[in-house]
Amino acid sequence: SSKAMDEQGNFSNFDFKGTLKPLFRIFDKDDGGSISKEEFVECHSMLVNSMKIHPDSSNEDSWGKVDFSSIDSDGSGEIDFDEFCGWMTNILKECGVPKTALPDLMTNIVEALRTIQEIDEAVAAGQSESRVNKALQESVEKVAANARALFTKKKASKDEAKSSWCPPPRGFSLQLLARKCAAELGLGLGGLEAEKEKKAKSKRVSRAASMTATGQVRLCIPDINGGKADPATKWFARVSRTNKEGNDEFFVYEFDATSGKLDWSRNENENAFNNALDALPKDLKVFCLLKTRGLMSESVRWPGIREALLEAADMSLMLESDLDKYGTTLCDMMLEKMQENDEIADIEDMGGDPVEVAMEKMEAEVSLSQLQVLVGLAELGLLDVSERSLEQIMDMPEE
């Protein structure tokens, strides 16, 4: 049947076999309609060896230890397409890949494996290895990155519940953080100028005028709280600074309400921040990125959503192509709204592009709650969002 995993790791209606067919053809090197043991070992070894060079490689990925006879269920000595799909189904069930991510990952792996096979054939035919080394290295790295994303086993949920979302403590203020960064780092944080500084800027005597760099609060997270939803007394903020040379530097600040100072202090040791980040499940990491881009308010505008999801992609929480899919969905919704308001025909009559206008309107008009974004990503199958996380977020008191 045509199946693929949904965001819960189960299977739903989807052209699963159609997605796997190109990979089957890579394994079936002689295009004979089935995979011999020699063909299987050759291609499977390429995948496993490529994954070993990836920086996230680990000995925990036991899927690579495969008994050919366990896949060849009818004992024919060949693996047919149905047997291949059965093998892949069992692997992917353990890995929890969202169904929308599967086609892109599979396409990338197939393209890279095909390139490796063509290079091997060229070298066997006498072509100099030095001429193809770069292409080979790039292809191996491409296989490694996509295979790790596709085949790494999903961690048990108990390992993902070391911490949870909870509201910041009383006195928590990003304005205070902005002033601290200005004083200690000569750093102006975008969108966080104090009112006094805004007035000074209008008189051209702003403190920001003497700052040597601009920066941004990249991520605010609670300290490890054991999964309890009570307000955390300690929070962390990761701040980036772009200097005049265009290089990014990162700093961690800590807000500890128990100190009684209600202020931020710079933390030279980032271990506590990293541990707190590791303790959050993936969906709440994305939520914290969205909250941060909304300056901890109850909503975030489209430019901030885009920045947050790009950051999520950089952190390997989702694929960058997922951001494109989400943006396209919002753009389609804006186009529908424009159609209802009879704007499309007027734009076209004036020689304009409705899609470009819709994207401009998104920049200016779209503002969503962080919860709306999270639910939208889950509905599109782009992010696995647990009921537990949704309950924590919805139980938050209004600010």
Side-chain angles (χ1 to χ4, degrees), residues 298-302 305 326 330 366-370 372-373:
E298 294 303 303
S299 64
V300 57
R301 300 179 68 84
W302 168 242
I305 295 171
Y326 183 68
L330 291 185
V366 171
S367 180
L368 302 171
S369 73
Q370 290 84 354
Q372 284 178 303
V373 178

Side-chain angles (χ1 to χ4, degrees), residues 232-244:
T233 56
K234 184 183 291 185
W235 271 67
F236 298 102
R238 192 169 193 235
V239 176
S240 67
R241 174 172 70 182
T242 305
N243 57 29
K244 293 180 180 179

Side-chain angles (χ1 to χ4, degrees), residues 214-273:
T214 57
Q216 188 177 39
V217 184
R218 303 290 283 270
L219 181 60
C220 291
I221 55 173
D223 194 10
I224 297 174
N225 53 35
K228 297 178 181 178
D230 296 332
T233 56
K234 184 183 291 185
W235 271 67
F236 298 102
R238 192 169 193 235
V239 176
S240 67
R241 174 172 70 182
T242 305
N243 57 29
K244 293 180 180 179
E245 289 74 35
N247 299 317
D248 281 343
E249 300 171 283
F250 294 93
F251 307 89
V252 170
Y253 277 80
E254 178 182 303
F255 185 91
D256 189 352
T258 61
S259 67
K261 296 180 181 180
L262 297 181
D263 200 2
W264 293 87
S265 59
R266 186 172 164 190
N267 192 330
E268 299 288 350
N269 186 343
E270 296 188 9
N271 287 341
F273 169 85

